[in-house]
Amino acid sequence: MIFWKYYDKIELILGLTALTATVLAVLIAAIGRSLGMPVTSAPQFAQLFLIWTVMFGADLTMKLGMHIRVSALTDLAPVRVQKALAVVHSGLILVFLGFVAIVGWDLSMGNWQRELGASGLSYGLVTLALSVGAGLLIISFLRRLVSKGFVGAFQPADDAVETLI
Amino acid sequence: MISTLILVAALLLIAGGMPVAFAIGIAGSSYFLLPSTFLPDSTAVQRIVAASQSFPLLAVPLFIILGNLMNSAGITSRLVGLATTLTGWMRGGLAQSTIVLSTLMGGVSGSAVADAAMQARILGEPMVEKGYNRGFTGAVLAIGGLITATLPPSLGLILYGYLGEVSIGRLFIAGILPGFLLMFMLMVATSYVARRDNYKPANDRLPTLGEVGRDVKSGFWAILFPILLLVGIRFGFFTPSEAGAFAVLYALIIGFFVYRELTLAKVVDALVQSLRDIGMIMLIILFSGTFGFVITFERVPQSIAEFALTAITDPTVLLFVVAGFLLVLGMLIEATVLVLLLTPILVPVVTAAGIDPVHFGIVMMTLVTFGGMTPPVGVSMFTVCGILRCSYRDYTIQMIPLAIGVLVMVVLIILFPQITLFLPDKLM
């Protein structure tokens, strides 16, 4: 689908932009402080870009089915049990993300007047990231359910297991 | 009581195979939807947002980017050269060099699994070709990664410091001696295995000063980095988050202008990989915001502390009991998840018992990370054995001497808190 191709590309570019902006904002904060000229709004910008980075990154990970999970136990279970669990989990995840998206949106609109530290930006932009991110996650999860089915939606594209610590 | 139910719900969802981030988010948020909770539902979402609004937390994405940049910047390959020269003359020289390499890399990367995976790809097959047992190769590569868990800049210690409100700078400096002690312990264990299984040295003689000098020179900018980092944090030139930003800049400059191996395309690749890694790990951190709030709100640490401290009065005994508990949990549950769930509970408990939270942090990080290298559920083990195609059974038998080395080191740290506290007390 040509629509999804552009959709994915735009999302990746937005995510990379947010990531780069986060790094730059911390760098500006750090350089400013070491030169004795602290840029008071830079940390706020960094934190704002961070939550957007996280939500875009989380969605990219969702598209690949790579969110960390423990599959050791369920892999041993019969296929029917696996399927039942996947159906229940899918329902819970969608309800939870819907809750986060809607409440996040309300909070964001309610907080629009509140200023984000010294940056002059609205605190609503921070909350908005969560709401938009949850919306993106819902879309990606539904896309996976359609293309991979209930059990496959939770499994990574290849068998790569990743974690960080 | 309610918080126990929520914890059990989270664990059940995780065991049932739900992605950890969602399991924790759903269990934590459900508290706010209970009829007995008088807090508004929106508090759940507010806590998730609040979890992201922290400057110290910015160290996590920055060190993730750094880890991904290191390979393409040519830093890794130079450290491999140095490690091989330094230890090639020993029995089991290749295995020893992977341990030294983990120590060198530990000063730059912060992730045990990333370290093990990288080494398994580069050094795994060459070791097997030289006659090393596949299981042992896997074990030494995976467990060597544990050194990165305590050496700064360890991602785990950043998270622990952030959640437990413990100074990340102190934690970083406290991790140095334990990191080197662990390297020593693993080298002793490897040397025992090398004798037992008759692994040969890679070189037939000691390296000459000239050879060491050549490799130190070629890896100079990579070796200098952790030193600059620690000096900077120690003298307050920058906070750990700022250090992360400078580190990324440093890696870019070295990669583009000094080693000239970095290209724009490689940087973009590293950023895309980082974006995914950040999304994966930090979504868990954000969603655990509600969970941490419930635990604090319900005064769980205080109840546990009261209970534990009436049962056990001696801090060392308490530390051993908690360590045993962490070792078992670590074998079953992923390290990041354990740190996120348990740090807010355990730090107040151990502090009340008179244990320094910095000391405890090093013990906790070592044990929960080690759990990822052991059966039955170990991400490092799965990763390395996946890359090397070694059987879990073989891996498990071969890891025993190394595991003993790790446990001896943990016992030493528990018995002698000065191993962790000496440097931060002297320096900070």
Side-chain angles (χ1 to χ4, degrees):
Chain A
M1 273 279 280
I2 193 117
F3 169 76
W4 291 118
K5 208 178 123 191
Y6 280 104
Y7 171 94
D8 290 340
K9 195 157 215 167
I10 292 169
E11 193 191 351
L12 181 63
I13 292 171
L14 287 174
L16 287 175
T17 312
L19 179 62
T20 315
T22 310
V23 179
L24 287 178
V26 182
L27 205 57
I28 290 169
I31 292 173
R33 211 175 60 88
S34 14
L35 296 179
M37 297 182 290
V39 186
T40 43
S41 58
Q44 257 89 41
F45 273 103
Q47 283 157 230
L48 169 65
F49 292 134
L50 175 66
I51 189 170
W52 283 96
T53 307
V54 173
M55 297 319 290
F56 283 124
D59 191 43
L60 282 179
T61 309
M62 171 69 96
K63 285 180 189 165
L64 299 172
M66 301 260 291
H67 277 288
I68 301 171
R69 60 191 277 268
V70 179
S71 57
L73 281 176
T74 45
D75 285 351
L76 300 175
V79 178
R80 269 180 41 218
V81 177
Q82 286 187 23
K83 193 154 187 188
L85 277 172
V87 171
V88 173
H89 288 173
S90 306
L92 283 172
I93 288 174
L94 287 172
V95 170
F96 170 66
L97 287 174
F99 167 77
V100 172
I102 294 169
V103 178
W105 180 263
D106 291 345
L107 274 177
S108 176
M109 294 306 127
N111 275 327
W112 208 257
Q113 303 301 325
R114 183 176 154 194
E115 211 171 283
L116 179 63
S119 64
L121 291 171
S122 162
Y123 186 77
L125 284 173
V126 174
T127 336
L128 190 64
L130 194 62
S131 181
V132 171
L136 292 173
L137 283 166
I138 291 176
I139 295 172
S140 300
F141 190 58
L142 289 174
R143 278 169 77 190
R144 278 192 76 82
L145 283 180
V146 170
S147 63
K148 311 263 173 195
F150 279 106
V151 177
F154 290 97
Q155 286 161 350
D158 42 17
D159 286 332
V161 187
E162 281 198 52
T163 180
L164 280 152
I165 290 182
Chain B
M1 182 58 208
I2 294 175
S3 39
T4 319
L5 279 179
I6 288 172
L7 187 63
V8 171
L11 291 177
L12 280 180
L13 289 176
I14 292 173
M18 184 187 275
V20 173
F22 297 111
I24 292 178
I26 290 170
S29 303
S30 64
Y31 173 83
F32 296 90
L33 304 177
L34 290 174
S36 59
T37 311
F38 56 85
L39 293 162
D41 298 350
S42 60
T43 314
V45 177
Q46 270 167 348
R47 295 322 301 176
I48 298 176
V49 175
S52 74
Q53 297 302 297
S54 148
F55 196 70
L57 195 62
L58 280 159
V60 174
L62 292 165
F63 283 112
I64 290 174
I65 300 175
L66 181 66
N68 284 325
L69 270 180
M70 268 193 331
N71 292 342
S72 23
I75 292 176
T76 309
S77 56
R78 283 166 178 83
L79 292 179
V80 172
L82 176 62
T84 322
T85 308
L86 283 176
T87 53
W89 57 276
M90 295 178 190
R91 256 176 190 279
L94 268 180
Q96 301 285 20
S97 74
T98 68
I99 294 170
V100 172
L101 179 62
S102 290
T103 315
L104 293 172
M105 298 284 289
V108 208
S109 138
S111 157
V113 183
D115 178 76
M118 179 278 294
Q119 294 206 25
R121 286 199 189 97
I122 301 179
L123 300 168
E125 281 306 323
M127 280 180 69
V128 174
E129 278 161 26
K130 288 262 156 63
Y132 286 84
N133 175 298
R134 266 186 200 277
F136 177 69
T137 307
V140 80
L141 291 174
I143 297 179
L146 184 56
I147 299 172
T148 61
T150 59
L151 276 187
S154 144
L155 280 179
L157 286 180
I158 297 173
L159 280 186
Y160 173 87
Y162 159 72
L163 292 161
E165 295 179 6
V166 182
S167 155
I168 296 174
R170 267 180 78 86
L171 283 166
F172 274 6
I173 293 180
I176 299 176
L177 283 183
F180 281 101
L181 178 64
L182 182 59
M183 175 188 90
F184 176 75
M185 286 299 183
L186 292 179
M187 288 182 79
V188 171
T190 303
S191 144
Y192 160 78
V193 176
R195 259 164 241 284
R196 186 191 67 186
D197 297 348
N198 200 23
Y199 293 137
K200 300 273 183 290
N203 298 331
D204 46 7
R205 55 173 178 82
L206 280 164
T208 62
L209 264 182
E211 284 166 343
V212 175
R214 181 199 63 202
D215 284 1
V216 167
K217 196 170 155 232
S218 106
F220 177 75
W221 297 104
I223 304 167
L224 184 68
F225 170 72
I227 301 171
L228 285 179
L229 185 83
L230 283 175
V231 170
I233 293 176
R234 154 67 186 85
F235 289 102
F237 295 137
F238 34 75
T239 63
S241 298
E242 294 171 350
F246 279 126
V248 170
L249 187 66
Y250 184 86
L252 287 174
I253 292 174
I254 298 294
F256 271 120
F257 302 113
V258 182
Y259 294 157
R260 295 168 189 271
E261 287 184 20
L262 211 51
T263 57
L264 205 55
K266 284 184 183 173
V267 174
V268 173
D269 279 348
L271 285 179
V272 172
Q273 184 58 46
S274 307
L275 188 58
R276 281 189 207 134
D277 291 347
I278 293 166
M280 181 168 57
I281 188 163
M282 295 201 58
L283 191 69
I284 307 179
I285 299 177
L286 260 57
F287 283 171
S288 70
T290 49
F291 207 97
F293 179 78
V294 173
I295 284 168
T296 328
F297 195 73
E298 291 266 308
R299 300 179 52 83
V300 176
Q302 288 84 345
S303 326
I304 296 183
E306 271 170 34
F307 172 76
L309 297 180
T310 41
I312 306 164
T313 44
D314 185 69
T316 312
V317 177
L318 179 72
L319 204 47
F320 270 112
V321 173
V322 176
F325 170 72
L326 287 174
L327 179 65
V328 175
L329 278 182
M331 290 167 76
L332 302 172
I333 304 172
E334 214 268 326
T336 327
V337 180
L338 272 188
V339 172
L340 286 168
L341 292 183
L342 294 183
T343 306
I345 302 182
L346 290 178
V347 169
V349 174
V350 297
T351 315
I355 298 165
D356 192 314
V358 171
H359 176 210
F360 178 66
I362 304 293
V363 173
M364 174 162 171
M365 271 326 299
T366 308
L367 286 169
V368 297
T369 315
F370 178 56
M373 294 148 192
T374 62
V377 187
V379 186
S380 283
M381 176 180 85
F382 293 154
T383 311
V384 169
C385 284
I387 296 170
L388 286 175
R389 288 170 288 112
C390 56
S391 78
Y392 298 145
R393 189 173 163 275
D394 221 15
Y395 174 100
T396 309
I397 295 168
Q398 294 286 335
M399 74 171 270
I400 293 171
L402 298 164
I404 292 173
V406 172
L407 294 179
V408 169
M409 174 258 188
V410 172
V411 169
L412 285 176
I413 293 182
I414 293 179
L415 289 178
F416 305 101
Q418 285 311 313
I419 299 174
T420 55
L421 297 176
F422 172 75
L423 278 182
D425 284 349
K426 267 271 177 285
L427 292 175
M428 296 199 70

